[in-house]
Amino acid sequence: MCAAREGRWGRRQRALLCYVLVAAWEAAWGQLRYSVPEELPKGSFVGDVAKDLALQLGALHERGARVVSADRTQYFALHANSGHLVTAERLDREQLCEGVQRCVLRCEVIVEGEMKVYEIEVEITDINDNVPSFREAEKELRMSEMTAPGSRFSLSKARDPDVGVNSLQSYELSGDEHFSLSVQAGADGEKRPELVLAKALDREEAAFHELVLRASDGGEPVRTGTARIRVSVLDANDNAPVFSQAVYAVRVPEDVPVGSTLLTLTATDADEGLNANVKYSFKEISTKASKVIDLDPERGSIKLLRSLDFEEGDSYEMEVQAHDHGELFDTATVSISVSDVNDNAPEISVRSALSEISEDAPPGTVVALLHVQDRDSGANGEVRCSLVGDVPFRLRSSVGSYYSVVTARELDREEVSEYNVTVWASDGGSPSLRSSAVLALRVLDVNDNAPVFAEARYSARLPENNAEGALVLTVRAWDADWGQNARVSYRLAEGRVRGAPLSSYVSVQAETGALYALRSFDYEEVREVGLCVRAEDGGAPALSSNVSVRLLIVDENDNAPQVLYPPPSSSAGAGWTGVELAPRSAEPGALVAKVVAVDADAGQNAWLSYELARATEPGLFRVGLHSGEVRTARSPLARDAPRHSLVVVVKDQGRPALSATATLTVVLAESVAELLSELGSAAAPAEPGGSLTRWLVLAVAAVSCLFVAFLLLLLALRLRRWRRSQLLPPASGALRGVPASHFVGIDGFRAFLHSYSHEVSLTADSRKSQRRWAADSCCNTLPARPPPDKAAPLLGEDAAGARGAPPDALPVSQSLRTPRRPPSRRLPPFLLLAFPSPLSFPLKCS
């Protein structure tokens, strides 16, 4: 006995070990199996997926996981916090798996971050939640009283959707001794109840018999269903209808039109009259078939009520009955097979997909997880998947009907920044059906492109003497990257110009690349500046590129010619001077001297031309236009002065032209001794106009002195008249109507005068003086000199001669104008009483 126990215990251990090994094997291969009873409420626990798959809850919650299934209804859900698989809907086994012994639901768990799929099978176990039921709760049978005892009559079967012990187990009949119950087992294992006539009927004894048929299942507790049978006893009808065949079988395609006749039943009755009138009805038909199939009771034709679907049901089997008016009947079996038609296109479900991917992702990176299925069967359900176009992706078969979309090569965002990857799925039917799914994928930028300048090198021309801060040029660089990686900034590379940092000469604007001059350039100091501008993007790490910039300084005419010969003289002050010897016997064209000048500018601004501006003896000398050579234009004559002064103007070709002058002194002498004696003569006048200038200055000084004396005299007379008017009464004048203030007495003479003025301007270097008279047309103005045909003015020649003035001297005020007029001075207040205007002085006489 102990050995037997040990044997049984060893077998149990081995069975348990096998079960554990199988479970471990399935978990290792990503497949789990669970079992739950039906009718569980929503949210009921099914299994611990995280534990069974060895998944970390933190990683599961962070990466994300979800449950998907091929069915339209999702029956399970995954709690990310606990990793438990729970029910998402109420599970009814009879609804989910009608007529199937083992009900299994399949789903997949997808871990988003890992792009992995785990298959799960959940078996729905049956509970005794359904009562056996008859299709007809009340059944009426008509039997002839001639029916022999032992005759059998088929009864409607009870249906119990449960399976196993919970399904239908037994029938019981109660109610009458004339009948008994016989249960037959069919070929499919189903129990078929039959009513057996145990005792002959007698209509005169009993026209009706009430029976109760009870069906019971094997569940706990036992559930039962009942049907009431009413047997009517009829007069004799001894021939029952007979079907032409016991089994009617037909195969139709699933796309047969609605309303089509699938087949027609035929049954005949040997009786006559009403007993030969045959009618057809379903004796046994499933609920699903009753929704699709209809039987015409008169004609026996079976028609299609609604469209067939091979994927929902591939066959329908039912029992039909033909009975006559006397309720005699015959039964037959009808089998309808549905053949598949390629009417379902493949279905593509995107289980998981990335919306963004970095352009430096390595080949083989999973970007999407697809599930493909076709509800058709056979070749119609075989699916082939492919990608459309030349895209850097490929399909890789995964677990079951799953496909992974992976990168086939490296991506380049600068070539293609977004992809719309189209996945085609086509089946093997004829014609083939296909469907597609589009995956939108944006490529994220990586800083893999350095900035590129628009030109290989830049050059610009900048006029010298430019303003500080002047714009020189703008460099532009583009970066093929995007966002911050494409943001370009500019800066100068280190360098030096004439020992100073390059940054003190030019600067570049960091955002725009504009190059500015920080100082004014001088072509004579700097003619060309070479620099390097660096463009750098905003990536990390940053990429950069350089470009050379050549800045050419353009010359401007800002330097006047400089005379090198004749050499400068310190006493000359503003010019150049030199002494050259020319023999009096020189022929025309003889070289006397050469003016040498240079210009610090370049190009046209440095082209010099020479011109003789002034000469003591015009026509004696000439100057070469471009050579500066001073040559004799003719042979010197005896009447020519021995000493000649030549002023040569040197001009450049700039705009505006700048010039310088050189002064040459040419002495006509035959020997050096004669030259030295001529130069040593200090009494020789430099120019004929010097004597005239000195006399003019003396004349102006004399006139000024006379004018001041006249003012003092006029002031004294006015003060005297004022004093007399205070002491004596006013005397009657000889001229009535003329104010006494217009008369003045000078040395016993009375004169009628009016104010006039003139201006004399002299310059220190002029040979002529300028004189301007006041333009007054009044008839009482005293002219500076009386016309020859008029009498002398009131002021007689004696008065003028008494003062010793020359005949053309001016008896009135005069002013000396110099090149710079001194600021005007106000007259004293007492002089303003006598002279209303500083430029016009009216004389008043009594």
Side-chain angles (χ1 to χ4, degrees), residues 439-510:
L439 303 175
L441 188 64
R442 185 163 64 94
V443 182
L444 299 180
D445 184 52
V446 175
N447 190 26
D448 57 348
N449 290 278
V452 177
F453 283 93
E455 300 180 16
R457 60 183 57 85
Y458 289 86
S459 63
R461 301 172 66 88
L462 179 67
E464 65 172 333
N465 304 321
N466 58 282
E468 295 182 0
L471 176 65
V472 179
L473 82 160
T474 300
V475 297
R476 290 292 176 87
W478 285 267
D479 196 309
D481 293 322
W482 182 80
Q484 183 67 25
N485 296 330
R487 185 172 298 173
V488 180
S489 60
Y490 305 88
R491 61 186 179 91
L492 286 176
E494 296 294 334
R496 304 186 73 82
V497 177
R498 296 176 60 87
L502 178 63
S503 57
S504 64
Y505 281 84
V506 292
S507 69
V508 63
Q509 217 280 335

Side-chain angles (χ1 to χ4, degrees), residues 403-474:
Y403 290 87
S404 299
V405 180
V406 299
T407 56
R409 60 178 184 269
E410 292 184 353
L411 305 178
D412 190 353
R413 191 206 67 84
E414 288 69 41
E415 292 183 0
V416 181
S417 60
E418 292 184 357
Y419 288 95
N420 289 324
V421 183
T422 303
V423 182
W424 280 107
S426 56
D427 57 24
S430 179
S432 177
L433 299 180
R434 65 178 183 175
S435 60
S436 63
V438 179
L439 303 175
L441 188 64
R442 185 163 64 94
V443 182
L444 299 180
D445 184 52
V446 175
N447 190 26
D448 57 348
N449 290 278
V452 177
F453 283 93
E455 300 180 16
R457 60 183 57 85
Y458 289 86
S459 63
R461 301 172 66 88
L462 179 67
E464 65 172 333
N465 304 321
N466 58 282
E468 295 182 0
L471 176 65
V472 179
L473 82 160
T474 300

Side-chain angles (χ1 to χ4, degrees), residues 278-308:
V278 179
K279 290 187 178 181
Y280 303 90
S281 62
F282 286 115
K283 181 181 180 182
E284 191 69 32
I285 187 172
S286 64
T287 304
K288 183 169 64 174
S290 63
K291 297 179 180 179
V292 179
I293 306 300
D294 181 50
L295 177 60
D296 189 339
E298 300 294 337
R299 297 184 177 88
S301 59
I302 297 178
K303 293 184 178 182
L304 192 63
L305 290 178
R306 50 179 261 182
S307 299
L308 296 175

Side-chain angles (χ1 to χ4, degrees), residues 466-696:
N466 58 282
E468 295 182 0
L471 176 65
V472 179
L473 82 160
T474 300
V475 297
R476 290 292 176 87
W478 285 267
D479 196 309
D481 293 322
W482 182 80
Q484 183 67 25
N485 296 330
R487 185 172 298 173
V488 180
S489 60
Y490 305 88
R491 61 186 179 91
L492 286 176
E494 296 294 334
R496 304 186 73 82
V497 177
R498 296 176 60 87
L502 178 63
S503 57
S504 64
Y505 281 84
V506 292
S507 69
V508 63
Q509 217 280 335
E511 287 77 16
T512 63
L515 199 67
Y516 295 96
L518 297 181
R519 62 170 63 180
S520 179
F521 285 91
D522 189 353
Y523 176 83
E524 288 70 38
E525 295 181 358
V526 179
R527 299 194 175 187
E528 181 178 340
V529 177
L531 53 98
C532 184
V533 178
R534 173 170 295 175
E536 189 174 89
D537 59 25
L543 301 179
S544 62
S545 60
N546 300 327
V547 69
S548 61
V549 179
R550 184 184 181 194
L551 182 59
L552 301 176
I553 309 302
V554 179
D555 182 49
E556 286 190 346
N557 193 27
D558 58 342
N559 291 281
Q562 295 182 359
V563 179
L564 301 181
Y565 186 84
S569 174
S570 59
S571 62
W576 300 78
T577 183
V579 179
E580 297 292 339
L581 173 64
R584 286 185 173 274
S585 59
E587 296 294 331
L591 179 64
V592 177
K594 183 175 182 177
V595 178
V596 180
V598 295
D599 196 315
D601 295 323
Q604 184 176 349
N605 297 328
W607 296 351
L608 301 180
S609 62
Y610 302 86
E611 180 183 351
L612 184 61
R614 188 173 58 188
T616 304
E617 184 65 36
L620 180 58
F621 299 98
R622 60 181 174 84
V623 178
L625 178 63
H626 300 294
S627 63
E629 295 178 348
V630 179
R631 296 180 181 270
T632 56
R634 59 177 175 82
S635 298
L637 302 178
R639 57 182 175 82
D640 292 334
R643 185 174 180 176
H644 297 267
S645 178
L646 305 180
V647 178
V648 179
V649 177
V650 184
K651 293 183 180 180
D652 56 25
Q653 302 300 315
R655 293 186 180 181
L658 300 180
S659 63
T661 60
T663 303
L664 285 173
T665 300
V666 180
V667 177
L668 299 177
E670 295 295 338
S671 63
V672 176
E674 186 178 353
L675 170 66
L676 295 177
S677 63
E678 180 66 27
L679 293 177
S681 178
E687 287 185 17
S691 176
L692 178 62
T693 303
R694 285 193 294 271
W695 283 108
L696 184 60

